[in-house]
Amino acid sequence: MPKDPDTPRGPRHVAIIMDGNGRWAQSRGRPRLFGHHAGARRVREIVEACPDLGVKYVTIFAFSTENWKRTQVEVAGLMSLFRRYIKKEAKALHDEGVRVRFIGDRVRLDRKLVDMMDELEEYTSGNDRVHLTIALNYGGRDEVARATKRLAQDVASGKLDPESVDEETLPKYLDTHVLPDPDLVIRTSGEARISNFLLWQSAYAEYEFIETLWPDFTAEIFAGLVQNYGARDRRFGAVKT
């Protein structure tokens, strides 16, 4: 749902499609996984910049349901990178007051990785300075389908009256049910599409599609986009009088 017009103009929740890691590496004559490792290191800088910018929630698109179509070598390398990232960054994230959540379908992920995800969520559950949500094996259509299935099960069991279902009902079944909707969605690397990311939640979001590849996306660039958001005239369908 859109924010109240009287709330602060800066984005409270920023979602980021971190695109361009592979191209960044290939332009340097390196394998694609080299770019993914560089991109993972960039995440900490952006998360650390959030409090000073007034950003309370940041959601990053780490691995989509479509990314399984990539080569077996790249997929295996990415899964290894996620495990390494969790192990390496857990303490730093906790010390910075970051609460970490994961969204997406965990069924296809290996048990060791899922256990590490669960442990990091529990380890940081008491933090509230920044809320970092990592979309892993995530797809917007898949999320809505899973949510609809759970909603249908509640209707069938009598827990939910079908006559009461409205646009406020489905979000309670989404992976992001504890999060506010994103105010700003950023995609790096010059691609101007949302690639099945937070489809329901981004209905009223502002978008920024920028040419910068994700490993080159600095805190300064991030701050500039956050400031640009504050200058936008957001009417949410109303006419300004």
Side-chain angles (χ1 to χ4, degrees), residues 21-237:
N21 293 328
R23 276 170 282 166
W24 183 88
Q26 291 173 329
S27 70
R28 289 160 173 75
R30 304 297 296 271
R32 290 177 57 84
L33 281 171
F34 178 76
H36 292 306
H37 282 270
R41 290 192 295 271
R42 184 63 69 185
V43 171
R44 183 194 287 193
E45 178 183 348
I46 300 308
V47 172
E48 289 178 346
C50 285
D52 288 341
L53 297 173
V55 176
K56 185 78 169 180
Y57 299 86
V58 60
T59 299
I60 59 174
F61 204 2
F63 189 88
S64 77
T65 50
E66 290 75 30
N67 287 156
W68 295 103
K69 299 174 185 177
R70 296 186 178 185
T71 67
Q72 185 176 357
V73 170
E74 185 170 355
V75 170
L78 284 167
M79 294 301 156
S80 176
L81 172 60
F82 298 145
R83 292 191 294 269
R84 184 182 304 181
Y85 177 84
I86 292 172
K87 183 176 181 179
K88 180 181 177 183
E89 297 293 331
K91 187 177 186 305
L93 289 166
H94 179 63
D95 291 347
E96 286 288 328
V98 179
R99 179 167 187 173
V100 182
R101 294 182 178 89
F102 292 90
I103 59 173
D105 187 355
R106 304 188 187 194
V107 173
R108 193 170 178 180
L109 301 175
D110 72 74
R111 186 70 252 171
K112 181 178 179 181
L113 176 56
V114 172
D115 287 345
M116 294 178 73
M117 291 160 61
D118 291 341
E119 290 168 5
L120 182 57
E121 287 182 324
E122 176 61 27
Y123 180 47
T124 62
S125 62
N127 297 334
D128 188 49
R129 189 165 181 247
V130 179
H131 292 250
L132 170 64
T133 302
I134 302 172
L136 187 53
N137 194 31
Y138 174 87
R141 289 182 174 180
D142 175 73
E143 178 190 28
V144 171
R146 288 186 286 107
T148 304
K149 182 178 181 179
R150 290 192 292 269
L151 187 154
Q153 289 170 341
D154 281 353
V155 168
S157 67
K159 294 180 181 178
L160 183 65
D161 179 2
E163 294 300 321
S164 70
V165 175
D166 57 21
E167 68 176 75
E168 302 294 332
T169 307
L170 184 63
K172 298 175 183 177
Y173 291 83
L174 295 174
D175 297 350
T176 57
H177 64 277
V178 297
L179 303 173
D181 288 345
D183 304 297
L184 174 64
V185 179
I186 299 168
R187 180 169 187 153
T188 59
S189 89
E191 302 290 349
R193 59 180 181 271
I194 59 174
S195 295
N196 201 18
F197 184 48
L198 301 178
L199 299 179
W200 179 281
Q201 300 89 334
S202 298
Y204 289 97
E206 298 290 322
Y207 286 85
E208 289 278 6
F209 299 104
I210 65 171
E211 296 292 331
T212 307
L213 302 177
W214 174 249
D216 292 327
F217 187 80
T218 64
E220 290 74 22
I221 295 173
F222 184 48
L225 296 175
V226 168
Q227 291 165 5
N228 287 346
Y229 171 94
R232 296 193 180 196
D233 182 16
R234 292 167 57 74
R235 297 187 297 274
F236 304 111

Side-chain angles (χ1 to χ4, degrees), residues 8-27:
R9 293 188 64 83
R12 185 176 180 225
H13 183 179
V14 179
I16 306 175
I17 302 173
M18 307 180 297
D19 197 17
N21 293 328
R23 276 170 282 166
W24 183 88
Q26 291 173 329
S27 70

